[in-house]
Amino acid sequence: GAGGTIGLARVARAAPDGYTIDIGQWDTHVGNIIYPLTYDLAKDFEPIGLATINPQLMIARKDFPADDLKGLVAWMKANPGKATFVDQTAAARISGIQMMQATGTKVEFIPYRGAGPAMQAMLGGQVDLMVVQAAVTLPQARAGTVKILANLSPARPRVVPDIPTSEESGIAGLYASGWFGLFAPRATPKEVVAKLNGAMMQALADAKVQARFSDLGLDVASREQQTPEGLAAFHKAEIEKWWPVIKS
């Protein structure tokens, strides 16, 4: 509830014994500053490790006139203000704002309570555009019920190597961040964090886990990023990149 703020508040208040942890992501550990928080995202959690990098894809309803990002921009300029854009997360909305600023176009944001209801609207042809994780998109794209316009990652990820990035498609800097990492309450003992991290890294090294994540459109994080120090550095960089954008 409330973009993950309720769950994170429980984690922040929990005993730092390793038995209450959270699977955090951009929306819960970066984008949540849009809410009045009772905890500090930068100080009240102990990083355990980064698990996956999740490519974010821009998709359109299957009968939308454009088939790629260049075609989308051309259509929006020819039809100013007519494109409808799903607003189901802070990350999605920021992506839409970035696109408008970069291209001089305008979209109408349509709020939804989550990716599930938003995808149902997309399948029903009620909205035009959506930014969502590959894990949500790929089954629909494979079935031909939506079309993928671009990958909003800095580079082509291993799980969707055939989809051009926004940079390749002519919109530099249009980037939506997606990832999953494990966090514990502040002051969790280092030996407890190390034990949890070891279990996570062992699971991520399993070939079956890697294959399943690949099916879901998730890139396993590098071994360096899987460490507590790796997640700490990654999380700090995400905050420094996105908080000024969100606040402005």
Side-chain angles (χ1 to χ4, degrees):
T5 60
I6 297 172
L8 274 194
R10 180 169 178 174
V11 176
R13 294 192 300 265
D17 56 9
Y19 286 95
T20 304
I21 64 176
D22 86 274
I23 304 175
Q25 55 179 315
W26 187 94
D27 296 284
T28 57
H29 281 265
V30 180
N32 260 359
I33 60 164
I34 63 173
Y35 296 98
L37 301 179
T38 59
Y39 46 82
D40 189 320
L41 287 170
K43 299 178 180 178
D44 286 344
F45 302 93
E46 296 289 344
I48 296 171
L50 187 67
T52 62
I53 302 291
N54 315 334
Q56 304 285 311
L57 306 178
M58 181 173 289
I59 66 172
R61 54 181 168 84
K62 65 178 181 180
D63 54 351
F64 190 73
D67 295 319
D68 54 28
L69 210 51
K70 290 181 179 178
L72 169 63
V73 173
W75 185 88
M76 288 195 300
K77 288 186 175 181
N79 299 271
K82 292 186 178 180
T84 53
F85 194 104
V86 171
D87 176 10
Q88 86 280 15
T89 64
R93 186 176 183 88
I94 288 172
S95 301
I97 292 171
Q98 284 185 312
M99 183 176 68
M100 289 193 295
Q101 292 175 341
T103 61
T105 56
K106 184 174 176 57
V107 302
E108 180 184 358
F109 288 107
I110 310 296
Y112 284 88
R113 295 193 176 196
M119 182 60 75
Q120 289 301 314
M122 176 67 67
L123 297 178
Q126 298 162 15
V127 289
D128 296 324
L129 305 169
M130 182 177 177
V131 171
V132 68
Q133 291 188 32
V136 177
T137 303
L138 289 180
Q140 303 298 340
R142 289 166 182 157
T145 55
V146 299
K147 60 173 69 173
I148 300 174
L149 303 183
N151 164 28
L152 303 190
S153 301
R156 296 194 186 197
R158 292 186 299 272
V159 291
V160 282
D162 54 334
I163 301 171
T165 65
S166 54
E167 193 95 20
E168 293 175 89
S169 302
I171 305 181
L174 178 57
Y175 171 47
S177 184
W179 46 270
F180 287 129
L182 298 183
F183 294 83
R186 181 180 60 182
T188 299
K190 288 186 177 181
E191 61 271 20
V192 174
V193 171
K195 186 170 185 177
L196 292 167
N197 174 260
M200 186 200 81
M201 293 185 75
Q202 182 179 359
L204 292 176
D206 185 274
K208 291 182 178 179
V209 172
Q210 293 180 358
R212 179 59 177 148
F213 277 7
S214 182
D215 288 342
L216 292 171
L218 304 175
D219 268 339
V220 174
S222 69
R223 293 288 285 185
E224 294 77 18
Q225 291 174 319
Q226 290 177 28
T227 65
E229 297 78 16
L231 175 55
F234 179 87
H235 184 224
K236 182 175 183 289
E238 285 285 273
I239 284 175
E240 291 175 350
K241 174 182 175 65
W242 291 109
W243 277 7
V245 176
I246 295 169
K247 290 174 180 178
S248 68

